Amino acid sequence: MQRRRFLGLVGAAGVSLAASGKAKAASKEFSGYPGSHAVLFDATRCIGCRKCEAGCQKVNDLPMPEKPFDDLSVLDQKRRTHAENFTVVNKYDVGQQAPVFRKFQCNHCLEPACASACFVKAFKKQPTGAVTYDASVCVGCRYCMVACPFEVPTYEYNEVLTPRVRKCHMCHERQLEGKLPGCVEACPKEALTFGTRDEILKVARARIRNYPGRYLDHVYGEKEMGGTSWLYLSGVPFKKIGMREDLGTTSAPHLTTGALAAVPMVVGLWPVVLGGIWAVNKRKEKIAAEEQKAAVNSAVSETQEKAQQEMADALAKAEASTQRRIDNEVKKAVDEALKAKEEEAQSQAEDGKTDEEGA
Amino acid sequence: MAHRKVVAGLSGFLIALAAVLGLGVDVMSKPLVAAENSTARADLIMIDTIAQQRELEMPASQFMHDKHTAALKEQDKDCSTCHKTTTNEEGKKVMSLKFMREEDGSADELKKIYHDGCISCHAKDKADGAEKYGPQSGECRSCHVDKPEYTAEREDVEMDNALHYIHWGSKQISKDAGEETNCGSCHHQWDEQTQKLVYKKFEEESCSYCHTEAPKEPVKTPERLAFHEQCVVCHQTLAENKAENYGPVECAGCHSEKAQEELKQSKEEMLQKLGGVLPRLPRQQPDAVLMTPPVAEDATMQEKEKVEEHAMPVAFNHKFHEQNTDSCAACHHKSVQSCDMCHTPRGDADGEFVSLAQSMHQADSMRSCVGCHQQEQKKPECAGCHAAMEKKAQPASDSCATCHEPLQSAGEGMGMMQMNQDDMSSMMNASESVTTPLPEDKDAREALAKRIIERRPDTPRNIDINDVPETVTIGVLSDEYKPSEMPHRKIVKKLMEDMDNDKLAAAFHTTELTMCQGCHHNSPASMKPPRCESCHGKPFMEQQPGRPGLKAAFHAQCMDCHKQMQLEKPVSTNCTACHEKKD
Amino acid sequence: MSTEAHTAGSKSVFNTFNIVAGVIILVGLGITVLRFTGGLGAVTNLDDNNPWGIWIGFDLLCGVALAAGGYTTSAACYIFGLKRYHAAVRPAILTAFLGYALVVFALHYDVGRPWRLPYPIFVQQGTTSLLFEVGLCVFLYLTVLFLEFLPVPFEWLKKTKIRNFLVKITLALTIMGVVLSTLHQSSLGALFTIVPSKVHPLWYSPYLPVFFFVSSIAAGLSMVIFEGTLSHKFMHHAMDEEYLKHHDTVVFGFARGCSFVLFGYFMIKLIGVAYGDAWHYLSTGYGALFLVEMLGFVALPCFLYAVGARDKNAKLIKWTAAWTVLGIVFNRFNVSIIAFNYQLPSAERYFPSWMEIAISIFIVTLGVVVFRFISKRMPVFREHPMYKAEH
């Protein structure tokens, strides 16, 4: 019976947890720092020249790759960023006459999953729009990499003592100096447009409006994962150029608010509930113990009483019978004495017997 | 005791698990089967006529028509083995396209017809000792298969001008009574009075105008059947009469990809023989039409006068458009009658509430003038400039006059060409100077339209090529590379050549300098256009969001144009093709 | 190995167990050197798309789940007043303590800079992170478990005073243990709530924390039975009358409890599928995997536990416990590895290297060795003569 209650309570706890998980805080939307920057990538403008890759490598002092940047044969393979390159351009054959190119780098979410997931706050969304990383506190748990819906952060797996998470940082330092990000500066065709996010969104919408049929009516990154500081325009479905269209518009931090909100509830409620259960059980045990004691006591005293009574009875009975026997014996003795008197002359031994009876 | 229960429960569970896994594997394996596409056939017919009446007891039977046709031929049998002769709506004896019947009966009757018809024939083949024979009685699942091995895949056939000419220019098809033409062999209409199908010359309509998918009384034959009855029966008759040429009689003859490819080729050959131009259809269609602005039926006289006074008519070159479209249906998408038959001035249900003005100007419809002309701009030779042009919410006001040419005097014409194009109001003034009203008479209107069309140039007016600088050196940005030498004259020359004899360009490129504005944009046309760096400077200027910087402007101008014109070389990513590398 | 049980404590150290364990530990040490001289890349198959492998999927997720026996047993005994389970508490606490200690130990292999593991608690607190919650709770819970276990070595060392004080605060420690366990067991599931786009819809749910918590109870209960069975077989000599007398009571009680928990778990998992409207995925390959997990490793043990508890069939229960433990491992693998990154083409998916697997085996072996060492010497399976019949 107790076990069943235990399980019931566990179930109840589960339900309450779930309820708190569902009751997502009616969080206010964050639409980016005012005046923060953004970059618009226009897939219809990109020619796949890899100048942005070279520019990135240069401004970030990253090692030069084996094949030079003007070797475009690397585009034939699907590539991703690594610890030594923060951006890559991929080529997609979309069944049109010309292939479509797409640049890949950190999208710099307005509410970054990596920053929300980092347990040492190594990532920070800067007012410039960049999401930066601080290696001096990084433990290397790589939860940021798990959490990133765009699979952006990379890791120095072959570094022994000081492995870092590596990703595009939107040239935060250069932005502070008033310079353009390396890739944007290097792009010969302005397939990358730099500006404040508000302005960039207007530019993107104007392009869609002014060139009907050229673009899909969708600015990728305007709402994806709560909005990003890197925006995309394309003439073909984003899915066809390797971008996920099923990410939704909920920002990553909002996805975990439910679970986080349950923490104080558990901390506040569990001890009370558990303590209560313990107290109930304890009291039950105590009452049970007391009742048992009382029962034992009463049982003991009853038995004792009964025993005493019996003893008394037995004693009385014994006394009575003794009395009777004495009487009888006395009578007998008297009779015998009388007899003896009658037979005075017979012997002396009969006196001893009488004595014994008396003892 | 307990063990037995455990074992029973366990085995039940395992069976369920196996079933679930089996299902999963089955589902997973499906896409692989679907991906296999080599089993597509044009002649596959699913026999599911009964499905219209009741639920099928068995999966529909799949039937390969061409396979049967070929097999019958080998046995010296003809279509009548399966198809009965019936009397059509015109009263002619023709072959019924249904299997061994003229009309669909009840479901049970249909079942009997098919079972008896198919199996008896197969059984006879077997009894005769044929090498190959169809499924026999009792082999139900040979025909009624759940997952058919083959899938039907049929290409649509379009009766375009060329295919149309193959028919109406054919000597195999008998001429209409007392005429030089043979249109009546196919075209007909229902005569209410005589309750018969008759042919009326010059009133030919498109087939699908009456024969819709679900035709309304008195039309009985739905579109698909109508075509097959008309085409296949006729081809078959010709074939039986040992005609020199007859059309395809097998499914794959029209509907397979291969057949269509062959047809395309023979059309091209024919067109070459004819000197590149198909003869016009002999339907008495006008050469030119003077299209006047619509006047609502319920408009007052004053309103009518006002409309006629202000709005300028459009002279439409019907003959030219006939030759430059695939078929009449390119514009006459329903009936071959005039547009205002359905598209009334204000639009009503018949015209799906598209008004006459909309029907001409709707940019998103390929049947409208504007829509089709915009499509023309997507041709590589046009797209180089036109794809880069922004689409404004409103068309430029001076573009109206290109089609709505103001009449300086009703008959004579200095065209609009010399007129100042910039100012719409000046045109309005010009039109107000028209004193003679537009003619009412049909012939006179056509004549007027012809005259207006005649004064239009055939080829765009271009500037003297020698006025174009031979090369332009772009060096303002050179750092890593040496300045780029742009072969300016060569480029202009190529563009001019592409536009030669292009009437559309001729009409819309209204000045010699219009073409220049493809690159030298956003400034008034001039022989000495402003330098690019007048507007394009550093990239991402806050004051001009969206305006490219100088480098990007140059690159976009060249590369995007090359891409749109489908020029393979120079490749956009080949820097040194345009800029020599500095040492 | 069974012979080892009889000859345990005998002269020769070269028995089968020691040899096998020795080899594993030697290999483990070798890879350890490689790991800390060549970096993660030298020993793992991890890459930029797959940052977490079996060192998280097994060592952390399974390790923590299977160490749940500590809080479930102590809660049952001390809070819910099920005194007859008392005999199971100490082994469970020891297992839990060792489990968590090994989890933390294993994390040193996985994280890039293990010496910074205290950073999230002492240097810069990323309070928005669920991993922070996990870290903090595991840290605190490890402390709690340590305190809960301390009476054992103190009894062994005959430090009565401090032992008695620790026993007095048992209740407070137990409650703290349950609170902390609730939090981090669920948070391990909640780690994945941030990536609905990477976890297959059949496994992803906003209820993931609840799933992980409830399944951890089942894991804990099953682990107590399973590990008790093993100990029973191999550590018989270290057990006293009291322990042996109650052993079967614990087994039947826990079996019944576990059956109920698994039933509840099955139901909420169904609700999870309904909530995500993921029914149509059941007919896919992942659906088959999901059904194997749900039917084979949840519904089946739920049923077998119930049968075993009713028929007092200890053997069936013990096998079921092992099966359930396997099921929990299966589930954690599914969430963190198999259903994770389901969107990637198979060429980019993760499969552990043999060295990763070896390190995981190495760590489990370490746990068994330490457990044997402690339970042979200290009063784990028996009561200390001094403190008999105290509770």
Side-chain angles (χ1 to χ4, degrees):
Chain A
M1 185 157 125
Q2 280 167 327
R3 204 177 306 119
R4 212 163 288 162
R5 201 180 50 230
F6 167 71
L7 292 161
L9 282 162
V10 167
V15 168
S16 65
L17 249 183
S20 65
K22 265 218 75 180
K24 277 182 193 155
S27 44
K28 293 133 206 148
E29 283 212 358
F30 178 70
S31 49
Y33 288 107
S36 73
H37 292 137
V39 178
L40 175 69
F41 172 78
D42 189 332
T44 68
R45 291 188 174 191
C46 182
I47 54 170
C49 64
R50 298 185 70 209
K51 294 266 185 225
C52 50
E53 292 183 24
C56 178
Q57 223 74 2
K58 203 174 118 197
V59 302
N60 289 303
D61 290 326
L62 295 169
M64 287 295 149
E66 264 176 54
K67 286 184 182 174
F69 284 107
D70 50 11
D71 181 353
L72 299 180
S73 65
V74 295
L75 290 172
D76 293 334
Q77 280 172 338
K78 186 190 162 195
R79 297 179 300 151
R80 64 152 293 145
T81 55
H82 290 292
E84 281 105 42
N85 54 333
F86 299 163
T87 183
V88 291
V89 173
N90 274 332
K91 183 164 86 174
Y92 296 91
D93 187 13
V94 290
Q96 290 178 346
Q97 206 183 15
V100 178
F101 300 95
R102 203 258 300 183
K103 186 177 176 290
F104 174 81
Q105 77 298 305
C106 175
N107 283 328
H108 300 273
C109 305
L110 298 183
E111 296 172 80
C114 53
S116 149
C118 183
F119 67 169
V120 285
K121 282 194 198 153
F123 290 94
K124 192 168 180 239
K125 178 74 176 174
Q126 303 285 356
T128 54
V131 178
T132 56
Y133 163 75
D134 174 11
S136 72
V137 287
C138 179
V139 181
C141 69
R142 307 188 297 289
Y143 185 35
C144 50
M145 299 168 70
V146 168
C148 179
F150 303 107
E151 291 158 11
V152 165
T154 66
Y155 198 65
E156 294 178 320
Y157 282 107
N158 293 317
E159 202 63 47
V160 181
L161 289 176
T162 56
R164 291 167 297 175
V165 171
R166 304 293 270 156
K167 74 169 193 69
C168 159
H169 47 99
M170 211 173 163
C171 290
H172 177 60
E173 300 293 323
R174 283 172 63 86
Q175 280 195 48
L176 291 180
E177 294 167 24
K179 289 183 191 159
L180 290 172
C183 53
V184 176
E185 195 176 67
C187 181
K189 266 204 88 205
E190 279 180 36
L192 300 170
T193 307
F194 182 84
T196 64
R197 191 169 186 270
D198 296 341
E199 211 49 68
I200 287 291
L201 272 172
K202 280 186 206 156
V203 168
R205 291 199 196 101
R207 282 191 203 164
I208 294 172
R209 193 177 54 243
N210 292 338
Y211 296 98
R214 182 187 294 185
Y215 298 103
L216 294 179
D217 190 8
H218 182 182
V219 183
Y220 192 99
E222 183 184 5
K223 298 227 169 70
E224 273 74 11
M225 293 310 291
T228 59
S229 292
W230 209 282
L231 304 162
Y232 298 82
L233 281 180
S234 169
V236 294
F238 289 100
K239 210 174 165 181
K240 287 194 174 173
I241 52 172
M243 300 172 78
R244 295 192 68 176
E245 288 176 328
D246 59 345
L247 295 178
T249 56
T250 312
S251 74
H254 285 192
L255 290 166
T256 55
T257 44
L260 283 171
V263 172
M265 292 298 120
V266 171
V267 174
L269 218 53
W270 250 170
V272 180
V273 173
L274 296 173
I277 295 167
W278 172 79
V280 168
N281 283 327
K282 192 83 184 165
R283 182 156 167 72
K284 250 201 186 140
E285 276 170 27
K286 206 171 156 193
I287 291 171
E290 272 168 11
E291 274 174 0
Q292 197 184 25
K293 204 172 161 194
V296 168
N297 283 346
S298 70
V300 167
S301 57
E302 224 168 82
T303 328
Q304 269 176 349
E305 238 167 69
K306 210 173 162 189
Q308 271 168 2
Q309 188 62 47
E310 264 169 23
M311 204 194 269
D313 285 355
L315 281 172
K317 225 175 176 176
E319 217 170 331
S321 75
T322 316
Q323 198 57 47
R324 213 165 32 241
R325 251 168 50 210
I326 291 170
D327 287 350
N328 278 347
E329 291 300 323
V330 168
K331 205 180 165 189
K332 215 172 164 182
V334 170
D335 285 350
E336 270 172 22
L338 288 174
K339 225 181 196 175
K341 252 183 188 171
E342 281 170 15
E343 304 166 17
E344 241 178 302
Q346 277 189 354
S347 77
Q348 287 286 314
E350 289 194 274
D351 289 338
K353 249 185 195 173
T354 317
D355 283 344
E356 263 180 38
E357 298 277 344
Chain B
M1 172 194 86
H3 269 292
R4 211 178 310 132
K5 269 187 191 167
V6 174
V7 168
L10 201 65
S11 50
F13 166 80
L14 284 174
I15 289 164
L17 197 66
V20 163
L21 282 173
L23 184 75
V25 169
D26 183 44
V27 171
M28 295 246 289
S29 62
K30 254 185 189 166
L32 290 172
V33 176
E36 190 67 53
N37 215 19
S38 59
T39 53
R41 287 185 69 118
D43 70 329
L44 182 81
I45 297 169
M46 300 305 290
I47 303 173
D48 56 358
T49 326
I50 293 175
Q52 292 165 357
Q53 299 187 28
R54 67 174 192 211
E55 212 175 306
L56 294 178
E57 294 164 22
M58 297 273 267
S61 170
Q62 56 168 347
F63 174 79
M64 255 75 83
H65 195 276
D66 288 353
K67 206 170 158 186
H68 284 81
T69 318
L72 287 175
K73 216 172 183 179
E74 273 176 32
Q75 301 175 10
D76 281 329
K77 289 180 192 164
D78 61 6
C79 306
S80 63
T81 318
C82 297
H83 294 286
K84 288 192 170 181
T85 308
T86 183
T87 316
N88 75 354
E89 287 167 332
E90 286 173 83
K92 285 186 199 160
K93 289 267 178 198
V94 291
M95 182 177 85
S96 162
L97 291 183
K98 296 175 190 294
F99 175 69
M100 287 192 151
R101 65 190 187 277
E102 288 169 51
E103 290 297 325
D104 290 348
S106 70
D108 286 330
E109 283 165 4
L110 279 168
K111 188 170 147 185
K112 197 170 167 350
I113 290 171
Y114 276 108
H115 280 166
D116 289 357
C118 299
I119 299 167
S120 65
C121 198
H122 294 166
K124 202 169 160 287
D125 286 347
K126 191 184 179 185
D128 290 350
E131 244 179 75
K132 280 198 266 179
Y133 46 85
Q136 303 293 311
S137 175
E139 296 173 11
C140 310
R141 290 285 169 183
S142 299
C143 296
H144 299 282
V145 279
D146 266 324
K147 291 173 190 163
E149 189 183 344
Y150 297 101
T151 50
E153 201 166 283
R154 285 185 277 271
E155 303 279 323
D156 283 338
V157 183
E158 204 196 344
M159 181 63 92
D160 58 7
N161 284 340
L163 188 57
H164 203 179
Y165 176 68
I166 290 175
H167 286 87
W168 69 262
S170 165
K171 294 190 182 75
Q172 311 288 329
I173 304 169
S174 54
K175 302 262 184 283
D176 303 330
E179 299 284 351
E180 272 304 294
T181 54
N182 58 14
C183 307
S185 295
C186 298
H187 290 278
H188 52 232
Q189 55 180 277
W190 181 250
D191 190 69
E192 277 294 328
Q193 282 179 322
T194 55
Q195 294 286 298
K196 267 185 182 170
L197 281 174
V198 295
Y199 166 67
K200 284 189 185 160
K201 199 163 173 58
F202 304 134
E203 284 182 29
E204 296 88 353
E205 258 298 353
S206 88
C207 309
S208 50
Y209 181 51
C210 300
H211 296 283
T212 55
E213 260 178 56
K216 283 184 204 140
E217 283 291 323
V219 184
K220 292 198 179 62
T221 333
E223 191 180 25
R224 210 173 68 158
L225 194 58
F227 279 123
H228 283 105
E229 279 184 355
Q230 199 74 280
C231 306
V232 183
V233 171
C234 185
H235 294 171
Q236 183 62 29
T237 318
L238 284 172
E240 280 165 13
N241 293 344
K242 305 267 188 292
E244 197 182 317
N245 267 323
Y246 56 91
V249 287
E250 287 172 357
C251 306
C254 290
H255 296 290
S256 70
E257 217 172 304
K258 192 174 152 237
Q260 299 231 329
E261 202 51 51
E262 284 169 7
L263 179 65
K264 204 175 150 193
Q265 228 152 30
S266 64
K267 277 183 200 168
E268 273 164 19
E269 279 164 24
M270 179 186 74
L271 199 63
Q272 248 174 356
K273 266 187 213 163
L274 291 166
V277 184
L278 286 171
R280 289 186 74 195
L281 278 170
R283 196 188 175 265
Q284 283 193 330
Q285 64 273 32
D287 289 354
V289 182
L290 192 70
M291 302 201 292
T292 42
V295 182
E297 273 171 36
D298 53 356
T300 60
M301 276 309 284
Q302 264 183 323
E303 282 172 331
K304 276 186 187 171
E305 275 171 22
K306 210 173 169 187
V307 170
E308 287 192 358
E309 198 181 314
H310 285 281
M312 293 155 282
V314 174
F316 175 67
N317 193 342
H318 197 274
K319 188 179 168 189
F320 176 81
H321 283 86
E322 274 174 48
Q323 285 160 353
N324 286 281
T325 48
D326 282 344
S327 72
C328 309
C331 304
H332 298 277
H333 51 101
K334 232 175 180 174
S335 149
V336 203
Q337 287 152 334
S338 78
C339 307
D340 60 0
M341 280 292 290
C342 302
H343 298 294
T344 57
R346 289 187 183 138
D348 62 16
D350 277 347
E352 286 169 0
F353 298 100
V354 175
S355 71
L356 188 58
Q358 279 175 318
S359 74
M360 303 294 166
H361 296 103
Q362 236 171 4
D364 58 357
S365 168
M366 276 296 289
R367 302 158 190 155
S368 80
C369 310
V370 174
C372 194
H373 287 167
Q374 283 194 352
Q375 193 61 33
E376 285 292 293
Q377 293 177 346
K378 289 181 179 155
K379 286 192 302 194
E381 47 276 40
C382 306
C385 294
H386 283 280
M389 290 179 188
E390 289 189 1
K391 175 102 183 336
K392 300 283 190 316
Q394 291 288 324
S397 57
D398 57 357
S399 66
C400 304
T402 307
C403 303
H404 297 271
E405 289 163 88
L407 308 167
Q408 294 205 322
S409 72
E412 279 300 317
M414 299 298 294
M416 271 305 296
M417 300 309 140
Q418 281 89 4
M419 242 190 67
N420 182 358
Q421 296 287 333
D422 299 344
D423 199 348
M424 181 69 177
S425 64
S426 74
M427 288 185 300
M428 298 303 290
N429 293 338
S431 77
E432 272 167 30
S433 71
V434 176
T435 44
T436 36
L438 295 173
E440 296 279 330
D441 172 39
K442 201 185 158 201
D443 289 339
R445 284 169 71 101
E446 190 178 336
L448 174 59
K450 270 185 180 168
R451 277 202 300 280
I452 296 172
I453 290 163
E454 267 165 28
R455 72 185 187 215
R456 287 178 187 156
D458 280 334
T459 202
R461 282 123 40 85
N462 290 321
I463 53 171
D464 187 348
I465 195 74
N466 295 314
D467 290 345
V468 178
E470 173 125 36
T471 57
V472 173
T473 308
I474 304 172
V476 277
L477 293 166
S478 59
D479 49 358
E480 201 180 336
Y481 299 97
K482 288 180 184 168
S484 169
E485 294 278 326
M486 183 182 69
H488 192 273
R489 190 180 290 166
K490 189 180 146 199
I491 292 169
V492 174
K493 212 170 158 194
K494 161 84 168 113
L495 290 173
M496 284 178 177
E497 280 165 18
D498 279 348
M499 280 190 299
D500 247 3
N501 290 318
D502 190 321
K503 272 175 165 287
L504 193 61
F508 282 90
H509 294 190
T510 45
T511 75
E512 297 96 328
L513 292 166
T514 309
M515 190 195 80
C516 305
Q517 288 181 290
C519 292
H520 301 279
H521 56 144
N522 291 339
S523 66
S526 156
M527 280 303 286
K528 286 201 182 317
R531 293 171 62 78
C532 302
E533 49 264 54
S534 318
C535 299
H536 297 282
K538 266 174 67 177
F540 317 126
M541 300 291 282
E542 259 173 59
Q543 295 78 12
Q544 295 119 7
R547 179 183 295 179
L550 186 57
K551 180 159 84 169
F554 280 133
H555 283 142
Q557 200 78 281
C558 300
M559 292 174 184
D560 289 355
C561 182
H562 285 194
K563 184 181 167 190
Q564 293 294 341
M565 295 186 76
Q566 298 174 8
L567 303 174
E568 305 271 310
K569 274 177 185 175
V571 182
S572 297
T573 45
N574 183 3
C575 306
T576 49
C578 301
H579 319 270
E580 235 182 287
K581 195 141 182 126
K582 272 187 185 168
D583 302 318
Chain C
M1 256 216 226
S2 59
T3 49
E4 190 273 332
H6 300 297
T7 56
S10 63
K11 328 85 217 166
S12 172
V13 284
F14 293 104
N15 53 49
T16 329
F17 177 85
N18 284 0
I19 290 168
V20 172
V23 169
I24 292 173
I25 287 170
L26 276 179
V27 172
L29 289 175
I31 299 170
T32 306
V33 171
L34 216 60
R35 154 72 184 87
F36 288 101
T37 52
L40 279 166
V43 289
T44 67
N45 274 353
L46 298 175
D47 60 35
D48 293 325
N49 285 336
N50 302 288
W52 281 0
I54 58 163
W55 289 352
I56 296 292
F58 180 76
D59 299 7
L60 175 64
L61 295 185
C62 298
V64 168
L66 297 178
Y71 86 90
T72 40
T73 315
S74 58
C77 176
Y78 296 125
I79 296 173
F80 293 90
L82 308 179
K83 285 284 159 60
R84 60 185 178 283
Y85 297 152
H86 192 267
V89 171
R90 278 199 175 169
I93 294 279
L94 176 60
T95 318
F97 176 65
L98 283 178
Y100 277 89
L102 287 172
V103 164
V104 175
F105 178 67
L107 276 181
H108 284 73
Y109 284 81
D110 186 71
V111 301
R113 310 193 201 195
W115 51 93
R116 282 185 178 175
L117 272 174
Y119 272 32
I121 297 160
F122 297 110
V123 176
Q124 191 155 285
Q125 296 78 25
T127 45
T128 55
S129 172
L130 280 154
L131 198 60
F132 172 73
E133 194 194 326
V134 173
L136 185 65
C137 291
V138 167
F139 168 68
L140 292 176
Y141 187 48
L142 197 57
T143 316
V144 168
L145 277 174
F146 183 64
L147 293 177
E148 280 190 286
F149 180 66
L150 267 189
V152 177
F154 282 137
E155 282 175 17
W156 186 49
L157 300 168
K158 304 194 172 61
K159 303 264 190 227
T160 309
K161 243 186 203 167
I162 189 154
R163 180 259 174 208
N164 284 349
F165 170 74
L166 285 168
V167 167
K168 254 182 212 156
I169 58 164
T170 299
L171 177 70
L173 289 176
T174 306
I175 289 182
M176 269 181 81
V178 175
V179 171
L180 292 168
S181 294
T182 309
L183 289 179
H184 73 256
Q185 292 286 1
S186 58
S187 299
L188 283 176
L191 284 181
F192 293 93
T193 55
I194 202 166
V195 274
S197 55
K198 288 189 186 173
V199 180
H200 190 278
L202 278 172
W203 281 273
Y204 182 84
S205 163
Y207 293 115
L208 263 176
V210 187
F211 296 162
F212 266 57
F213 173 61
V214 175
S215 59
S216 84
I217 299 173
L221 296 174
S222 301
M223 198 59 192
V224 170
I225 300 173
F226 174 67
E227 170 252 335
T229 310
L230 289 187
S231 307
H232 210 258
K233 202 164 176 189
F234 300 118
M235 307 284 299
H236 204 280
H237 54 278
M239 298 172 176
D240 67 358
E241 282 288 297
E242 183 71 14
Y243 180 87
L244 292 173
K245 198 172 75 191
H246 285 297
H247 182 68
D248 278 1
T249 328
V250 173
V251 167
F252 294 134
F254 275 24
R256 192 161 300 176
C258 201
S259 174
F260 276 105
V261 174
L262 283 172
F263 181 74
Y265 180 65
F266 188 82
M267 296 319 282
I268 58 172
K269 283 286 272 187
L270 278 191
I271 292 168
V273 176
Y275 184 85
D277 200 12
W279 299 109
H280 58 289
Y281 290 106
L282 287 178
S283 59
T284 64
Y286 276 107
L289 192 73
F290 183 77
L291 287 172
V292 168
E293 185 191 318
M294 289 306 293
L295 299 176
F297 289 101
V298 182
L300 178 66
C302 169
F303 171 71
L304 292 182
Y305 266 138
V307 170
R310 190 195 58 187
D311 298 344
K312 300 265 177 259
N313 185 343
K315 202 172 171 190
L316 178 64
I317 289 172
K318 284 165 186 173
W319 279 110
T320 309
W323 187 248
T324 312
V325 167
L326 207 64
I328 297 294
V329 175
F330 186 52
N331 170 261
R332 298 305 194 256
F333 267 42
N334 277 341
V335 173
S336 66
I337 292 168
I338 298 171
F340 185 78
N341 269 344
Y342 76 105
Q343 81 284 1
L344 290 182
S346 53
E348 293 173 29
R349 296 295 303 272
Y350 161 84
F351 192 83
S353 71
W354 73 267
M355 289 190 277
E356 285 178 84
I357 299 171
I359 284 291
S360 289
I361 295 173
F362 162 67
I363 284 164
V364 172
T365 312
L366 268 189
V368 174
V369 169
V370 177
F371 185 86
R372 262 169 55 104
F373 177 85
I374 294 178
S375 54
K376 259 190 196 170
R377 284 158 183 80
M378 299 186 195
V380 175
F381 291 108
R382 56 199 149 97
E383 285 178 273
H384 199 276
M386 270 171 76
Y387 311 98
K388 229 171 187 149
E390 214 179 51
H391 12 266

